[in-house]
Amino acid sequence: MAANPFLASETRDEEDAALAASAARGDREALEALIRRYQAWIYNLAVRMILNPQDAQELTQEALLRIITRIAQFEGRSSFRTWAYRIVTNCFLDAKRGQLEGFITSFDDYGRDLDAIPMAALTLTADQEPDRALIVEEAKLGCMLGMLLCLSREQRIVYTLGDIFEAPSKIAAEILGLSAVNFRQKLTRARRDLISFMQDKCGLINQANPCRCDRKAAGFRQAGWLEPDRLKFAGRHLQRIKGKVAAESAPLDDFVEEAYARLFRDHPMQEPLAEGGTQAILSDLLDSPEYKRIFDLP
């Protein structure tokens, strides 16, 4: 996974600018290097925007294509990072609503849906049992990503940039075309809404809440939200998860805002879908008619 672009140094910005200038002249290797730096983070922003990995991959391709087709317009007045993510966030804000966005519409509705999921022991096959911790983690990740869908699209981007990806408020504000003060105000409101819901519903945050990931996983599977043999979010991070579970299951009544954000930030970074993965997205983009048309390639 490429380094966090939101915490990049000035040297990284200079490298990006040089690569962008070469890419604008038709240098495919420079363009490929530049896209590789950003595509995984763009995909992970897309996952947090619309939850469904397949839809997120398509949205990522659309955003990357917009960057590629406009790269000659980059004039270096801001960092490439800011310029590119402004295109990405506008693409995400303008995108057609995903299926899950129509299903998860508010914290109140989501809370009622969670309450309706029965608490039960998770029964697994012999083949699945060794991955029990991963499967429970999948339930937790999916549920928490569902919480993000309760935020408006703008709030989701603000919260993801500010608290999950740890973008400094000045950079995040530039990306979204806001003042730093306005960005911090919007981030505060998004935190407040999310924290209020988690404090009232989530057993990870408040032990007085009955909801437990391992007891909800069976209901998630029955509702079709969890497929033990096709994990979407947990990946193959079993050893890492074993250490996390012990720490995160301790009493968390006194968690502050940073701890709420850390729960989301600790989600494993997602790789684009398995068929070809990252390389497939890049190859499709660089072989697309739009790319060849822009650079007058045969």
Side-chain angles (χ1 to χ4, degrees):
M1 186 67 67
N4 186 340
F6 303 104
L7 301 177
S9 65
E10 291 185 7
T11 300
R12 169 71 174 267
D13 287 339
E14 293 169 0
E15 293 172 356
D16 282 352
L19 287 170
S22 296
R25 294 191 295 269
D27 185 335
R28 178 171 174 144
E29 289 186 2
L31 181 61
E32 184 171 346
L34 195 59
I35 294 302
R36 283 188 184 281
R37 288 187 168 190
Y38 288 93
Q39 66 176 351
W41 289 86
I42 293 172
Y43 175 75
N44 276 269
L45 178 57
V47 167
R48 287 158 179 81
M49 287 296 295
I50 59 177
L51 186 58
N52 182 284
Q54 182 67 53
D55 292 343
Q57 181 153 306
E58 293 176 2
L59 192 55
T60 299
Q61 288 179 313
E62 181 180 348
L64 289 172
L65 185 58
R66 287 194 191 186
I67 292 173
I68 289 171
T69 57
R70 300 177 189 180
I71 199 158
Q73 300 173 17
F74 175 65
E75 298 176 346
R77 295 177 183 175
S78 63
S79 68
F80 178 83
R81 163 190 54 193
T82 299
W83 178 85
Y85 271 94
R86 190 174 294 136
I87 292 174
V88 169
T89 54
N90 287 336
C91 176
F92 288 3
L93 288 170
D94 294 341
K96 186 171 105 175
R97 290 177 65 82
Q99 181 179 0
L100 289 173
E101 285 184 287
F103 182 74
I104 300 175
T105 57
S106 71
F107 283 111
D108 286 342
D109 288 343
Y110 192 55
R112 283 191 290 269
D113 289 339
L114 284 178
D115 289 343
I117 297 290
M119 300 272 281
L122 177 63
T123 57
L124 300 172
T125 67
D127 290 340
Q128 295 166 345
E129 188 60 42
D131 284 342
R132 175 176 288 273
L134 269 178
I135 293 166
V136 172
E137 182 77 354
E138 175 84 357
K140 185 190 87 172
L141 296 177
C143 183
M144 291 180 67
L145 289 171
M147 295 176 198
L148 291 180
L149 288 189
C150 298
L151 299 169
S152 70
R153 279 190 170 184
E154 183 185 50
Q155 284 182 311
R156 260 175 271 160
I157 287 181
V158 165
Y159 187 78
T160 300
L161 292 179
D163 272 7
I164 300 177
F165 291 173
E166 302 180 274
S169 57
K170 180 177 182 296
I171 291 174
E174 288 176 357
I175 289 171
L176 296 173
L178 303 170
S179 69
V181 171
N182 196 4
F183 173 81
R184 287 193 292 270
Q185 290 173 339
K186 290 177 181 292
L187 178 58
T188 296
R189 286 194 289 270
R191 283 174 179 160
R192 179 197 62 206
D193 293 346
L194 194 58
I195 288 172
S196 176
F197 177 82
M198 295 180 76
Q199 183 65 31
D200 186 54
K201 291 289 183 184
C202 183
L204 290 171
I205 295 298
N206 183 353
Q207 279 198 317
N209 294 326
C211 191
R212 295 291 183 273
C213 302
D214 61 332
R215 304 289 292 173
K216 287 287 188 180
F220 290 163
R221 180 172 62 179
Q222 185 176 359
W225 296 357
L226 172 65
E227 298 177 80
D229 295 323
R230 295 180 58 192
L231 302 183
K232 298 175 182 177
F233 308 115
R236 309 304 299 175
H237 300 272
L238 184 56
Q239 295 305 315
R240 177 172 173 268
I241 288 165
K242 285 180 178 177
K244 286 176 54 190
V245 168
E248 292 181 1
S249 61
L252 301 174
D253 292 357
D254 297 328
F255 250 37
V256 292
E257 290 176 353
E258 166 60 19
Y260 287 83
R262 191 184 306 119
L263 278 174
F264 285 95
R265 199 155 55 236
D266 281 347
H267 289 193
M269 290 292 284
Q270 306 295 315
E271 288 292 340
L273 299 182
E275 293 183 5
T278 305
Q279 184 58 43
I281 292 179
L282 191 55
S283 297
D284 287 347
L285 286 169
L286 297 183
D287 291 333
S288 67
E290 291 86 349
Y291 175 77
K292 293 179 180 179
R293 175 180 57 78
I294 290 169
F295 294 106
D296 295 323
L297 298 175

